[in-house]
Amino acid sequence: MARIITTLSTPLFFFFLFSLLSHQTISQPEHLTTFCNPSDNFTQTSSYEANRDLLLSSLRVSSSLGTYSNATVGRSPNTVHGMFLCRGDTTAASCSDCVQTATIEIATNCTLNKEAVIYYEECMVRYSNVSFFSVLEVRPSIVLYSLRSAPNSNTLNETLADKFNQLILNVSSSSLVPYFLEDQELVTQAEGSYKFESMVQCSPGLDRFNCTVCLRFALLRVSTCCGSPSSALIFTPKCLLRYQTSVLSSPPPLPPSSPPPLSLPPPPPSPALFLPPPGLSQPPPPPLVFTRPQSSGSFSNVIKGNQIFGRIAMTMAVLVFALVNL
Ligand SMILES: *[C@@H]1O[C@H](CO)[C@@H](O)[C@H](O)[C@H]1NC(C)=O
Ligand SMILES: *[C@@H]1O[C@H](CO)[C@@H](O)[C@H](O)[C@H]1NC(C)=O
Ligand SMILES: *[C@@H]1O[C@H](CO)[C@@H](O)[C@H](O)[C@H]1NC(C)=O
Ligand SMILES: *[C@@H]1O[C@H](CO)[C@@H](O)[C@H](O)[C@H]1NC(C)=O
Ligand SMILES: *[C@@H]1O[C@H](CO)[C@@H](O)[C@H](O)[C@H]1NC(C)=O
Ligand SMILES: *[C@@H]1O[C@H](CO)[C@@H](O)[C@H](O)[C@H]1NC(C)=O
Ligand SMILES: *[C@@H]1O[C@H](CO)[C@@H](O)[C@H](O)[C@H]1NC(C)=O
């Protein structure tokens, strides 16, 4: 069961194609949203289309090798740049599955669009005629959050600030590439204790400074978007942040009896755009592939818990920020 809320405050340049989480099974990648930029199209059977399809298949191949890869295909003016990024806490198999699905879906749903991005819970895939690898962008972004309140919700803001400020500092001061850190702690407060699991990740193309900027934006967005959810995940084009709280000793509360009716957004009048990247046109270097970081594995428990208590029993909501007024 999912609810979709859109926040659109100014003219949009993207169409939104939504699919509802409830129709997916647990083993499939969970689609969040797709943005096809309708302002620039190419024509069928053009070189751009051939390059786009070649690019996507090259990303599919790379997805069995690591959590991130970028690629550039074709010569100007038909150059296509693309990338995928998997969450650092997914298994190699689900990363590869997710990228396989995403590269097919993005071409199917954004058939003739020059630029598009697709978000899944486990990965994102993107292509564009403009080089974007080291550019900081914060939109379009998407938040997936639980409709259940966090324990000790009146102090969640402080807890988020506390924990994530450390993680953000650590991820951008370490030499980890790709930037990925996760943490698991017990929060002990007068009102009670709970487990707090968190992760942060930046796209490897970003420098450390912009990794910090991106994650601070993501933290602010999550802290202000939707009350005090017991868990949340935000994906932006360049970074992602996720947390999950769980009360240890007591059984999980019953799920809400029935979810609110699905509310679909009105047909999009308009667009939100990636921040304008510089117009670069470079010769294609070999694709760059990052291997999976050795992680502590603490989040694998979370994923399992999330599947048991989150996906099935808990109502989730999706919030799309197509246009962001920083
Ligand atoms: C691009 O194609 C989309 C449909 O995929 C259409 O809605 C849009 O108007 C087109 N944009 C331009 C600039 O032709
Ligand atoms: C893509 O389009 C197909 C059919 O056009 C539709 O069934 C599917 O839900 C869409 N998927 C996404 C991810 O938007
Ligand atoms: C990308 O496509 C748009 C629209 O066709 C064009 O205005 C822009 O110059 C292109 N950028 C590059 C780097 O090719
Ligand atoms: C951060 O990103 C901006 C925008 O993409 C870029 O101009 C800048 O060089 C990057 N790095 C720093 C340290 O600001
Ligand atoms: C951040 O790094 C410091 C110093 O290495 C370490 O003590 C601390 O536990 C780390 N915090 C997190 C949340 O990773
Ligand atoms: C991949 O991204 C890096 C920046 O992270 C860039 O220097 C490189 O040119 C890109 N590779 C390709 C094949 O586009
Ligand atoms: C958390 O803090 C932000 C401001 O930093 C505020 O807008 C938001 O309402 C706070 N959330 C809660 C649940 O108190």
Side-chain angles (χ1 to χ4, degrees):
M1 301 300 160
R3 186 174 61 185
I4 289 165
I5 304 160
T6 51
T7 303
L8 308 172
S9 42
T10 27
L12 295 172
F13 305 113
F14 276 89
F15 280 129
F16 306 90
L17 303 169
F18 296 100
S19 85
L20 301 177
L21 303 169
S22 54
H23 298 308
Q24 314 249 352
T25 66
I26 282 169
S27 57
Q28 288 174 323
E30 298 284 353
H31 177 251
L32 295 175
T33 190
T34 307
F35 298 85
C36 311
N37 185 347
S39 62
D40 294 323
N41 297 336
F42 54 84
T43 51
Q44 218 150 10
T45 73
S46 64
S47 307
Y48 195 90
E49 183 178 46
N51 291 340
R52 193 266 311 265
D53 294 346
L54 194 58
L55 174 100
L56 292 174
S57 60
S58 127
L59 294 178
R60 270 194 288 282
V61 171
S62 309
S63 71
S64 57
L65 306 174
T67 50
Y68 167 82
S69 179
N70 63 357
T72 299
V73 169
R75 293 216 249 171
S76 182
N78 292 307
T79 310
V80 190
H81 308 272
M83 63 162 284
F84 74 80
L85 180 66
C86 288
R87 252 169 50 194
D89 59 346
T90 56
T91 63
S94 45
C95 174
S96 183
D97 276 2
C98 185
V99 174
Q100 304 280 331
T101 305
T103 47
I104 290 164
E105 282 294 305
I106 199 171
T108 307
N109 291 59
C110 305
T111 322
L112 297 176
N113 302 113
K114 271 196 175 175
E115 185 177 32
V117 59
I118 188 166
Y119 291 118
Y120 285 76
E121 255 190 79
E122 300 83 4
C123 74
M124 65 164 292
V125 166
R126 175 177 176 190
Y127 69 83
S128 173
N129 72 322
V130 178
S131 173
F132 55 80
F133 299 125
S134 49
V135 178
L136 173 64
E137 300 148 302
V138 294
R139 62 190 189 225
S141 69
I142 178 131
V143 180
L144 175 69
Y145 64 97
S146 164
L147 293 180
R148 195 159 62 183
S149 247
N152 309 356
S153 58
N154 53 332
T155 53
L156 182 72
N157 256 1
E158 287 79 11
T159 305
L160 290 180
D162 253 28
K163 302 294 172 195
F164 278 112
N165 284 336
Q166 259 197 54
L167 266 186
I168 292 171
L169 187 69
N170 285 11
V171 81
S172 49
S173 59
S174 78
S175 52
L176 287 172
V177 173
Y179 310 100
F180 167 67
L181 265 188
E182 57 186 339
D183 187 49
Q184 181 173 334
E185 283 182 61
L186 191 66
V187 174
T188 311
Q189 291 169 331
E191 305 94 310
S193 304
Y194 62 92
K195 190 166 74 168
F196 184 86
E197 288 155 289
S198 51
M199 64 157 269
V200 292
Q201 186 173 0
C202 288
S203 179
L206 284 191
D207 57 36
R208 293 173 191 188
F209 174 82
N210 279 336
C211 174
T212 303
V213 174
C214 190
L215 289 170
R216 289 205 183 290
F217 164 83
L219 177 58
L220 180 66
R221 183 53 88 198
V222 158
S223 307
T224 54
C225 71
C226 31
S228 310
S230 66
S231 64
L233 162 70
I234 178 170
F235 240 125
T236 78
K238 292 306 163 80
C239 65
L240 65 121
L241 180 150
R242 177 175 187 245
Y243 74 86
Q244 173 146 333
T245 58
S246 39
V247 178
L248 294 173
S249 45
S250 55
L254 290 174
S257 53
S258 96
L262 295 176
S263 77
L264 283 170
S270 66
L273 207 30
F274 299 116
L275 297 178
L280 293 176
S281 120
Q282 287 173 341
L288 190 67
V289 178
F290 285 96
T291 51
R292 178 169 307 278
Q294 293 305 311
S295 82
S296 68
S298 68
F299 243 113
S300 53
N301 299 328
V302 177
I303 292 171
K304 202 170 160 201
N306 194 33
Q307 286 172 353
I308 295 167
F309 298 115
R311 184 55 61 196
I312 293 171
M314 202 164 58
T315 306
M316 304 291 281
V318 173
L319 190 53
V320 176
F321 298 99
L323 192 122
V324 173
N325 298 311
L326 290 172

